[in-house]
Amino acid sequence: MRLGHVILTCLLLTSLLYAGDPANCLRIPPELEARVLYYHSFANGLDQPEVNLLKAKLQKPIAQVQPGGLTGPGLAFAADAKKPQGMALLSPEFRPSRPLTISFWWRFDAPMKPETGFHLLTLRGGGIIANFVRGKGKWCGLRQPTYVQQVYYFKGINNRNQLGGRAWLEPGEWHHTVMVLRNANRVQVYWDGALRTDYAIRGRAFTPNDGGTLEIGPNGRQHPMTIDEILVLDRA
């Protein structure tokens, strides 16, 4: 059984055990509940996250909340959007100088092609901390969809463009992505529980002036996908 399937099974079993109890809607260990800054299951629609201590403002995406999410509704992005746009959340608290764990689930709603690329999440402001996939093409001479992690454009911080191998995924399968920011200088990214990036930045540490915008889902690289269960913790 794949790791992603194991995690999904655990989530579904937990949701059944705690169905109807608002205190356990997050499906995380109780000791982490007090560390939640933002949580959105889309159960109440696009504009109503269950937790928003960051007072994050939503830049509405070109997407629809519809059935078929991880454990309820999810936010679905189609392929024919004239202006591909993911979900953007604006808050000065989205800064890499503080400990943060950013987590969400996603799945493809159409098969990939060799040229397929897609965006997962970016922390933007003064520069970008981005996790995405680029498909076959001229960029870096890629021959297949490839994992990419970037720390780029921050003044005083060395640019980092990490290519992390083949990234070919089947439609209909749920995947989990987590970005962890720690010590104001370290970026870690996990896919389905596997560590894909562990990078200590060089040049200077992140400052409170960095960051401010969290982008999740399609952003210039559009592929039909559904996202769900966005969770942000104030710890690494």
Coordinates of all heavy atoms in Angstrom, one line a residue, residues 112-177:
M112 N -1.5 13.3 -16.7 CA -0.4 14.1 -17.1 C 0.1 13.8 -18.5 O -0.2 12.7 -19.0 CB 0.8 13.9 -16.1 CG 0.6 14.4 -14.7 SD 2.0 14.2 -13.6 CE 3.2 15.3 -14.4
K113 N 0.8 14.7 -19.1 CA 1.6 14.5 -20.3 C 3.0 14.8 -20.1 O 3.4 15.5 -19.0 CB 1.0 15.4 -21.4 CG -0.5 15.2 -21.7 CD -0.9 16.2 -22.8 CE -2.4 16.0 -23.1 NZ -2.9 16.9 -24.1
P114 N 3.9 14.5 -21.0 CA 5.4 14.8 -20.7 C 5.6 16.3 -20.5 O 6.5 16.7 -19.8 CB 6.0 14.3 -22.0 CG 5.2 13.2 -22.5 CD 3.8 13.6 -22.1
E115 N 4.8 17.1 -21.1 CA 4.9 18.6 -21.0 C 4.2 19.2 -19.8 O 4.3 20.4 -19.6 CB 4.4 19.3 -22.3 CG 5.2 18.9 -23.6 CD 4.8 17.5 -24.1 OE1 3.6 17.0 -23.7 OE2 5.5 16.9 -24.9
T116 N 3.5 18.4 -19.1 CA 2.7 18.9 -17.9 C 3.6 19.5 -16.9 O 4.6 18.9 -16.4 CB 1.9 17.8 -17.3 OG1 0.9 17.3 -18.3 CG2 1.1 18.3 -16.1
G117 N 3.2 20.7 -16.4 CA 3.8 21.3 -15.3 C 2.7 21.8 -14.3 O 1.6 22.0 -14.8
F118 N 3.0 21.9 -13.1 CA 2.0 22.4 -12.1 C 2.6 23.0 -10.9 O 3.7 22.7 -10.5 CB 1.0 21.2 -11.7 CG 1.7 20.1 -11.1 CD1 1.9 20.0 -9.7 CD2 2.2 19.0 -11.9 CE1 2.5 18.9 -9.2 CE2 2.8 17.9 -11.3 CZ 3.0 17.8 -10.0
H119 N 1.9 24.0 -10.3 CA 2.4 24.7 -9.1 C 1.7 24.1 -7.9 O 0.5 23.8 -7.9 CB 2.1 26.2 -9.3 CG 2.3 27.0 -8.1 ND1 1.3 27.3 -7.2 CD2 3.5 27.5 -7.6 CE1 1.9 28.0 -6.2 NE2 3.1 28.1 -6.4
L120 N 2.4 24.0 -6.8 CA 1.8 23.5 -5.6 C 1.7 24.7 -4.6 O 0.6 25.1 -4.2 CB 2.6 22.4 -5.0 CG 2.5 21.1 -5.8 CD1 3.4 20.0 -5.2 CD2 1.0 20.6 -5.8
L121 N 2.8 25.2 -4.1 CA 2.7 26.3 -3.2 C 4.0 27.2 -3.2 O 5.1 26.8 -3.5 CB 2.5 25.9 -1.7 CG 3.7 25.3 -0.9 CD1 3.3 25.3 0.6 CD2 4.0 23.9 -1.3
T122 N 3.7 28.5 -3.0 CA 4.8 29.5 -3.0 C 4.5 30.5 -1.8 O 3.4 30.9 -1.6 CB 4.8 30.3 -4.3 OG1 5.3 29.5 -5.4 CG2 5.7 31.5 -4.2
L123 N 5.6 30.8 -1.1 CA 5.5 31.9 -0.1 C 6.2 33.1 -0.8 O 7.4 33.0 -1.2 CB 6.3 31.5 1.1 CG 5.9 32.3 2.4 CD1 4.5 32.2 2.7 CD2 6.8 31.8 3.6
R124 N 5.5 34.2 -1.0 CA 6.0 35.3 -1.8 C 6.0 36.6 -1.1 O 5.2 36.9 -0.2 CB 5.0 35.5 -3.0 CG 5.4 36.5 -4.0 CD 4.4 36.7 -5.1 NE 4.2 35.4 -5.9 CZ 5.0 35.0 -6.9 NH1 6.0 35.8 -7.3 NH2 4.7 33.9 -7.5
G125 N 7.1 37.4 -1.4 CA 7.2 38.7 -0.7 C 8.7 39.0 -0.6 O 9.4 38.4 0.3
G126 N 9.2 39.9 -1.4 CA 10.6 40.2 -1.4 C 11.4 39.2 -2.2 O 12.5 39.4 -2.6
G127 N 10.8 38.0 -2.5 CA 11.3 36.9 -3.3 C 10.3 35.8 -3.2 O 9.2 36.0 -2.8
I128 N 10.7 34.6 -3.6 CA 9.8 33.5 -3.6 C 10.5 32.2 -3.0 O 11.7 32.0 -3.2 CB 9.3 33.1 -5.0 CG1 10.4 32.7 -5.9 CG2 8.5 34.3 -5.6 CD1 10.0 32.1 -7.3
I129 N 9.7 31.5 -2.2 CA 10.0 30.1 -1.8 C 9.0 29.2 -2.4 O 7.8 29.2 -2.0 CB 10.0 30.0 -0.3 CG1 10.9 31.1 0.3 CG2 10.4 28.6 0.1 CD1 10.8 31.1 1.9
A130 N 9.3 28.5 -3.5 CA 8.3 27.9 -4.4 C 8.6 26.4 -4.5 O 9.7 26.0 -4.7 CB 8.3 28.6 -5.7
N131 N 7.5 25.7 -4.6 CA 7.5 24.2 -4.9 C 6.6 23.9 -6.0 O 5.4 24.2 -6.0 CB 7.1 23.4 -3.6 CG 7.3 21.9 -3.9 OD1 6.4 21.2 -3.6 ND2 8.5 21.5 -4.3
F132 N 7.1 23.4 -7.1 CA 6.3 23.1 -8.3 C 7.0 22.1 -9.2 O 8.0 21.5 -8.8 CB 6.1 24.4 -9.1 CG 7.4 25.1 -9.6 CD1 8.0 24.8 -10.8 CD2 8.1 26.0 -8.7 CE1 9.2 25.4 -11.2 CE2 9.2 26.6 -9.1 CZ 9.8 26.4 -10.4
V133 N 6.3 21.8 -10.3 CA 6.8 20.8 -11.3 C 6.9 21.5 -12.6 O 5.9 22.1 -13.0 CB 6.0 19.5 -11.3 CG1 6.3 18.7 -12.5 CG2 6.2 18.7 -10.0
R134 N 8.0 21.3 -13.3 CA 8.1 21.8 -14.7 C 8.1 20.6 -15.6 O 8.8 19.6 -15.3 CB 9.3 22.7 -14.9 CG 9.2 24.1 -14.4 CD 8.1 24.9 -15.1 NE 8.5 25.2 -16.5 CZ 9.0 26.3 -16.9 NH1 9.2 27.3 -16.1 NH2 9.2 26.5 -18.2
G135 N 7.4 20.7 -16.8 CA 7.4 19.6 -17.7 C 8.5 19.6 -18.7 O 9.3 20.5 -18.7
K136 N 8.5 18.7 -19.6 CA 9.5 18.6 -20.7 C 9.5 19.9 -21.5 O 8.4 20.5 -21.9 CB 9.1 17.4 -21.6 CG 10.0 17.3 -22.8 CD 9.5 16.1 -23.7 CE 10.4 16.0 -24.9 NZ 9.9 14.8 -25.8
G137 N 10.7 20.4 -21.8 CA 10.8 21.7 -22.6 C 12.1 22.3 -22.5 O 13.1 21.7 -22.0
K138 N 12.2 23.5 -23.0 CA 13.5 24.2 -23.0 C 14.0 24.6 -21.7 O 15.2 24.7 -21.5 CB 13.4 25.5 -23.9 CG 13.1 25.2 -25.4 CD 13.0 26.5 -26.2 CE 12.7 26.2 -27.7 NZ 12.6 27.4 -28.5
W139 N 13.1 24.9 -20.7 CA 13.6 25.3 -19.4 C 14.4 24.2 -18.7 O 14.0 23.1 -18.5 CB 12.4 25.6 -18.5 CG 12.7 26.3 -17.2 CD1 13.0 27.6 -17.1 CD2 12.8 25.7 -15.9 NE1 13.3 27.9 -15.7 CE2 13.2 26.8 -15.0 CE3 12.7 24.4 -15.4 CZ2 13.3 26.5 -13.6 CZ3 12.8 24.2 -14.1 CH2 13.2 25.2 -13.2
C140 N 15.7 24.5 -18.5 CA 16.7 23.6 -17.9 C 16.9 22.3 -18.8 O 17.4 21.4 -18.3 CB 16.3 23.2 -16.5 SG 16.5 24.6 -15.3
G141 N 16.4 22.3 -20.0 CA 16.5 21.2 -20.9 C 15.8 19.9 -20.3 O 16.3 18.8 -20.6
L142 N 14.7 20.1 -19.7 CA 14.0 19.0 -19.0 C 13.4 18.0 -20.1 O 12.9 18.5 -21.1 CB 12.9 19.5 -18.1 CG 13.3 20.3 -16.9 CD1 12.1 20.7 -16.1 CD2 14.4 19.6 -16.1
R143 N 13.5 16.7 -19.8 CA 13.0 15.7 -20.7 C 11.7 15.1 -20.1 O 11.1 14.2 -20.8 CB 14.0 14.6 -20.9 CG 15.3 15.2 -21.6 CD 16.3 14.1 -21.9 NE 17.5 14.6 -22.6 CZ 18.5 13.8 -22.9 NH1 18.5 12.5 -22.7 NH2 19.6 14.4 -23.5
Q144 N 11.3 15.4 -18.9 CA 10.1 14.8 -18.3 C 9.7 15.8 -17.2 O 10.4 16.7 -16.8 CB 10.5 13.5 -17.7 CG 11.5 13.5 -16.6 CD 11.9 12.2 -16.1 OE1 11.3 11.2 -16.4 NE2 13.0 12.1 -15.3
P145 N 8.4 15.6 -16.7 CA 8.0 16.4 -15.5 C 9.0 16.2 -14.3 O 9.3 15.1 -14.0 CB 6.6 15.9 -15.2 CG 6.1 15.4 -16.5 CD 7.3 14.8 -17.2
T146 N 9.5 17.3 -13.8 CA 10.5 17.3 -12.8 C 10.2 18.1 -11.6 O 9.7 19.3 -11.7 CB 11.8 17.8 -13.4 OG1 12.2 16.9 -14.6 CG2 13.0 17.7 -12.4
Y147 N 10.5 17.6 -10.4 CA 10.3 18.3 -9.1 C 11.2 19.5 -9.1 O 12.4 19.4 -9.4 CB 10.6 17.4 -8.0 CG 10.6 18.0 -6.6 CD1 9.5 17.9 -5.8 CD2 11.8 18.6 -6.1 CE1 9.6 18.4 -4.5 CE2 11.8 19.1 -4.9 CZ 10.7 19.0 -4.0 OH 10.7 19.5 -2.8
V148 N 10.7 20.7 -8.7 CA 11.5 21.9 -8.5 C 11.2 22.6 -7.2 O 10.1 22.7 -6.8 CB 11.2 22.9 -9.7 CG1 12.2 24.1 -9.5 CG2 11.4 22.2 -11.0
Q149 N 12.3 22.9 -6.5 CA 12.2 23.8 -5.3 C 13.1 25.0 -5.5 O 14.2 24.9 -5.9 CB 12.6 23.0 -4.1 CG 12.6 23.9 -2.8 CD 11.3 24.4 -2.4 OE1 10.3 23.7 -2.6 NE2 11.2 25.5 -1.8
Q150 N 12.5 26.2 -5.3 CA 13.2 27.4 -5.5 C 13.2 28.3 -4.3 O 12.2 28.4 -3.6 CB 12.7 28.2 -6.7 CG 13.0 27.7 -8.1 CD 12.5 28.6 -9.2 OE1 11.6 29.4 -9.0 NE2 13.1 28.5 -10.4
V151 N 14.4 29.0 -4.0 CA 14.4 30.1 -3.2 C 15.1 31.2 -4.0 O 16.3 31.1 -4.4 CB 15.2 29.9 -1.9 CG1 15.3 31.1 -1.0 CG2 14.6 28.7 -1.1
Y152 N 14.3 32.2 -4.4 CA 14.8 33.1 -5.5 C 14.4 34.5 -5.3 O 13.3 34.8 -4.7 CB 14.2 32.6 -6.9 CG 15.2 32.2 -7.9 CD1 15.9 31.0 -7.8 CD2 15.5 33.1 -8.9 CE1 16.9 30.7 -8.7 CE2 16.5 32.7 -9.9 CZ 17.2 31.5 -9.8 OH 18.1 31.2 -10.7
Y153 N 15.2 35.4 -5.7 CA 14.9 36.9 -5.8 C 15.0 37.6 -4.5 O 14.8 38.9 -4.5 CB 13.6 37.1 -6.4 CG 13.3 36.5 -7.8 CD1 12.3 35.6 -8.0 CD2 14.2 36.7 -8.9 CE1 12.0 35.0 -9.2 CE2 14.0 36.1 -10.1 CZ 12.9 35.2 -10.2 OH 12.7 34.6 -11.4
F154 N 15.4 37.0 -3.4 CA 15.5 37.7 -2.1 C 16.9 38.4 -2.1 O 17.9 37.8 -2.4 CB 15.5 36.8 -0.9 CG 14.2 36.1 -0.7 CD1 13.9 34.9 -1.1 CD2 13.2 36.9 0.0 CE1 12.7 34.3 -0.8 CE2 12.0 36.3 0.3 CZ 11.7 35.0 -0.1
K155 N 16.8 39.7 -1.9 CA 18.1 40.5 -1.9 C 18.9 40.1 -0.7 O 18.5 40.0 0.4 CB 17.8 42.0 -1.7 CG 19.0 42.9 -1.8 CD 18.6 44.4 -1.8 CE 19.8 45.3 -1.9 NZ 19.4 46.7 -1.8
G156 N 20.2 39.7 -1.0 CA 21.1 39.3 0.0 C 21.1 37.8 0.3 O 21.9 37.3 1.0
I157 N 20.2 37.0 -0.4 CA 20.1 35.6 -0.2 C 20.5 34.9 -1.6 O 19.9 35.3 -2.6 CB 18.7 35.1 0.2 CG1 18.4 35.7 1.6 CG2 18.7 33.6 0.2 CD1 17.0 35.3 2.1
N158 N 21.4 33.9 -1.6 CA 21.8 33.3 -2.8 C 20.6 32.6 -3.4 O 19.8 31.9 -2.7 CB 22.9 32.2 -2.5 CG 24.2 32.9 -2.1 OD1 24.3 34.1 -2.0 ND2 25.1 32.0 -1.7
N159 N 20.4 32.7 -4.7 CA 19.3 32.0 -5.4 C 19.6 30.5 -5.4 O 20.7 30.0 -5.5 CB 19.3 32.5 -6.9 CG 18.7 33.9 -7.0 OD1 17.9 34.3 -6.1 ND2 19.0 34.5 -8.1
R160 N 18.5 29.8 -5.3 CA 18.6 28.3 -5.2 C 17.5 27.7 -6.1 O 16.4 28.0 -6.0 CB 18.3 27.8 -3.8 CG 18.1 26.3 -3.6 CD 19.3 25.5 -3.6 NE 19.1 24.2 -3.2 CZ 20.0 23.3 -3.0 NH1 21.3 23.6 -3.2 NH2 19.7 22.0 -2.6
N161 N 18.0 26.9 -7.0 CA 17.0 26.2 -8.0 C 17.4 24.7 -7.9 O 18.3 24.2 -8.6 CB 17.2 26.8 -9.4 CG 16.2 26.2 -10.4 OD1 15.0 26.1 -10.0 ND2 16.6 25.9 -11.5
Q162 N 16.6 24.0 -7.2 CA 16.9 22.5 -7.0 C 15.9 21.7 -7.8 O 14.7 21.8 -7.7 CB 16.7 22.1 -5.5 CG 16.9 20.7 -5.3 CD 16.6 20.3 -3.8 OE1 16.6 21.1 -2.9 NE2 16.3 19.0 -3.6
L163 N 16.5 20.8 -8.7 CA 15.8 19.9 -9.4 C 15.8 18.5 -8.7 O 16.9 18.0 -8.5 CB 16.3 19.7 -10.8 CG 16.4 21.0 -11.7 CD1 16.9 20.8 -13.1 CD2 15.0 21.7 -11.7
G164 N 14.6 18.0 -8.4 CA 14.6 16.8 -7.5 C 14.1 15.5 -8.1 O 13.5 14.7 -7.4
G165 N 14.2 15.4 -9.4 CA 13.9 14.1 -10.0 C 12.5 14.1 -10.6 O 11.7 15.1 -10.6
R166 N 12.1 13.0 -11.2 CA 10.9 12.8 -11.9 C 9.7 12.9 -11.0 O 9.7 12.5 -9.9 CB 10.9 11.3 -12.5 CG 9.7 11.0 -13.4 CD 9.9 9.7 -14.1 NE 8.9 9.3 -15.1 CZ 7.8 8.6 -14.8 NH1 7.6 8.1 -13.6 NH2 7.0 8.3 -15.8
A167 N 8.6 13.6 -11.6 CA 7.4 13.8 -10.8 C 6.2 13.5 -11.7 O 5.6 14.4 -12.2 CB 7.4 15.3 -10.3
W168 N 6.0 12.2 -11.8 CA 4.8 11.7 -12.7 C 3.8 11.1 -11.7 O 4.1 10.2 -11.0 CB 5.3 10.7 -13.7 CG 4.2 10.4 -14.7 CD1 3.2 9.6 -14.5 CD2 4.1 11.0 -16.0 NE1 2.4 9.6 -15.7 CE2 3.0 10.4 -16.6 CE3 4.9 11.8 -16.8 CZ2 2.5 10.7 -17.9 CZ3 4.5 12.2 -18.0 CH2 3.3 11.6 -18.6
L169 N 2.6 11.7 -11.8 CA 1.5 11.3 -10.8 C 0.3 10.9 -11.6 O 0.0 11.5 -12.6 CB 1.3 12.4 -9.8 CG 2.5 12.9 -9.1 CD1 2.3 14.2 -8.4 CD2 2.9 11.9 -8.0
E170 N -0.5 10.0 -11.0 CA -1.7 9.5 -11.7 C -2.9 10.3 -11.2 O -3.0 10.8 -10.0 CB -1.9 8.1 -11.4 CG -0.8 7.2 -12.0 CD -0.7 7.3 -13.5 OE1 -1.7 7.4 -14.2 OE2 0.5 7.2 -14.0
P171 N -3.9 10.5 -12.1 CA -5.1 11.3 -11.7 C -5.9 10.5 -10.7 O -5.9 9.2 -10.7 CB -5.9 11.5 -13.0 CG -5.4 10.3 -13.9 CD -4.0 10.1 -13.5
G172 N -6.6 11.2 -9.8 CA -7.5 10.5 -8.8 C -6.9 10.1 -7.5 O -7.5 9.7 -6.6
E173 N -5.5 10.2 -7.4 CA -4.8 9.8 -6.2 C -4.5 11.1 -5.4 O -4.0 12.0 -5.9 CB -3.5 9.1 -6.6 CG -3.7 7.8 -7.3 CD -2.4 7.1 -7.5 OE1 -1.3 7.7 -7.3 OE2 -2.4 5.9 -8.0
W174 N -4.8 11.0 -4.1 CA -4.6 12.2 -3.2 C -3.1 12.2 -2.8 O -2.6 11.1 -2.5 CB -5.5 12.1 -2.0 CG -6.9 12.6 -2.3 CD1 -8.0 11.8 -2.6 CD2 -7.3 14.0 -2.4 NE1 -9.1 12.6 -2.9 CE2 -8.7 13.9 -2.8 CE3 -6.7 15.2 -2.3 CZ2 -9.4 15.1 -2.9 CZ3 -7.4 16.3 -2.5 CH2 -8.8 16.3 -2.8
H175 N -2.5 13.4 -2.7 CA -1.2 13.5 -2.3 C -1.1 14.6 -1.2 O -2.0 15.5 -1.2 CB -0.3 13.9 -3.5 CG -0.2 12.8 -4.5 ND1 0.6 11.7 -4.4 CD2 -0.9 12.7 -5.7 CE1 0.4 10.9 -5.5 NE2 -0.5 11.5 -6.3
H176 N -0.1 14.6 -0.4 CA 0.0 15.5 0.7 C 1.4 16.3 0.6 O 2.4 15.6 0.4 CB 0.0 14.7 2.0 CG 0.0 15.6 3.2 ND1 0.8 15.4 4.3 CD2 -0.9 16.6 3.6 CE1 0.5 16.3 5.2 NE2 -0.5 17.0 4.8
T177 N 1.3 17.6 0.7 CA 2.5 18.4 0.6 C 2.7 19.3 1.8 O 1.7 19.9 2.3 CB 2.5 19.3 -0.7 OG1 2.7 18.5 -1.8 CG2 3.7 20.3 -0.7

